């Protein structure tokens, strides 16, 4: 059986609707919380490595020293040229390892909305998001596009929403993996962030009811096609 190792920063941010697709593709999934990191050998041996989101910044290494070791593992994974998926903080960490600047964006981008695909994006697995199909945005930081990376998607607030390096590295600032049925955990877990940004969870809850099922379909289609391209 193939193995998928997942770096997880907070318990309620998991693979969501991506998990059934990975199981369908024959992957055994193992989560690695920040206090239980994989060994370098395990990380490099995995058929797929995933780095999920979290409410800290790439530049917070003094406050969260584990980020240094995490970036070292990402660097070695990139060097191996084996499949690597980064979502939100995971995408920012990949960009940072690729020597791009990660920094606070124009403002918090939290809520459901589409992305504008580039020409390359429309020829990539992100093509399922064409037509402004809804995805969940939940971030305040952004990054410069790494040298040699192919920009796939943008929004007015965040010009660099997604990039890839060949077919084996995919970095997504937004959350196509999110399970709408479990978003109440996010609303509670990120309650302080929502309050500081003056975002009413009732609005997010209403948006989720309208967008959740469509987002699940497009997110799962995106992941299936990306895996099939390796």
């Amino acid at each position: 059986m193939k193995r998928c190792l997942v770096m997880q920063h907070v318990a309620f941010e998991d693979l969501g609707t991506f998990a059934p697709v990975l199981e369908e593709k024959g992957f055994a999934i193992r989560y690695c919380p920040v206090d239980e990191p994989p060994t370098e050998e395990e990380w490099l041996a995995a058929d797929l490595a995933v780095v999920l989101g979290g409410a800290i910044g790439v530049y917070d290494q003094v406050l969260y020293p584990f980020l240094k070791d995490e970036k070292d593992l990402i660097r070695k994974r990139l060097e191996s040229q084996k499949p690597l998926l980064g979502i939100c903080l995971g995408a920012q960490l990949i960009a940072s390892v690729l020597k791009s600047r990660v920094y606070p964006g124009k403002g918090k981008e939290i809520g459901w909305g589409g992305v504008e695909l580039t020409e390359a994006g429309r020829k990539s697995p992100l093509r399922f998001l064409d037509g402004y199909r809804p995805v969940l945005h939940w971030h305040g930081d952004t990054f410069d596009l790494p040298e040699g990376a192919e920009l796939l998607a943008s929004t007015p607030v965040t010009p660099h929403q997604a990039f890839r390096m060949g077919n084996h590295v995919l970095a997504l600032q937004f959350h196509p993996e999110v399970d709408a049925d479990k978003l109440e955990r996010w609303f509670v877990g990120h309650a302080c962030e929502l309050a500081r940004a003056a975002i009413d969870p009732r609005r997010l809850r209403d948006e989720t009811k309208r967008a959740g099922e469509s987002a699940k379909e497009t997110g799962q289609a995106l992941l299936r096609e990306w895996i099939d391209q390796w």
Side-chain angles (χ1 to χ4, degrees), residues 6-209:
V6 185
M7 285 190 182
Q8 187 177 37
H9 301 98
V10 287
F12 58 83
E13 291 197 32
D14 57 21
L15 286 171
T17 64
F18 277 11
V21 174
L22 291 170
E23 291 164 355
E24 163 196 312
K25 293 288 186 180
F27 286 91
I29 298 167
R30 178 184 150 203
Y31 286 96
C32 301
V34 293
D35 56 346
E36 298 176 19
T39 65
E40 180 180 326
E41 182 180 11
E42 291 171 328
W43 182 246
L44 295 179
D47 298 279
L48 169 62
V50 181
V51 186
L52 294 175
I56 57 175
V58 169
Y59 41 77
D60 287 334
Q61 194 167 300
V62 172
L63 298 175
Y64 302 99
F66 69 82
L67 286 170
K68 179 182 182 299
D69 294 334
E70 193 164 317
K71 288 171 70 174
D72 286 342
L73 287 175
I74 291 171
R75 182 177 296 106
K76 290 180 170 67
R77 184 76 188 187
L78 288 168
E79 291 169 353
S80 76
Q81 297 194 340
K82 297 182 71 175
L84 173 64
L85 172 63
I87 298 174
C88 199
L89 174 60
Q92 295 161 10
L93 285 164
I94 292 172
S96 178
V97 169
L98 291 170
K99 304 188 184 306
S100 284
R101 188 170 63 107
V102 180
Y103 50 95
K106 297 177 183 177
K108 292 285 186 182
E109 191 169 25
I110 299 177
W112 292 90
V115 292
E116 185 70 32
L117 298 183
T118 63
E119 183 177 351
R122 288 189 290 272
K123 296 176 181 177
S124 78
L126 270 65
R127 66 186 179 87
F128 295 100
L129 301 176
D130 206 5
Y132 225 63
R133 301 291 295 275
V135 292
L136 181 69
H137 300 278
W138 202 306
H139 64 92
D141 287 349
T142 188
F143 49 79
D144 293 335
L145 188 67
E147 184 177 352
E150 195 171 28
L151 181 65
L152 303 178
S154 301
T155 60
V157 175
T158 309
H160 301 147
Q161 278 281 359
F163 69 85
R164 68 177 176 183
M165 306 283 287
N167 288 329
H168 64 288
V169 177
L170 184 61
L172 307 172
Q173 182 81 289
F174 52 90
H175 289 274
E177 86 292 357
V178 73
D179 185 343
D181 292 336
K182 297 179 180 178
L183 263 183
E184 202 65 37
R185 302 176 188 181
W186 290 49
F187 302 156
V188 175
H190 291 307
C192 293
E193 182 180 23
L194 292 177
R196 285 196 302 270
I199 295 173
D200 191 330
R202 291 171 294 185
R203 174 177 65 79
L204 293 178
R205 198 172 290 120
D206 289 341
E207 290 179 359
T208 300
K209 289 176 182 176

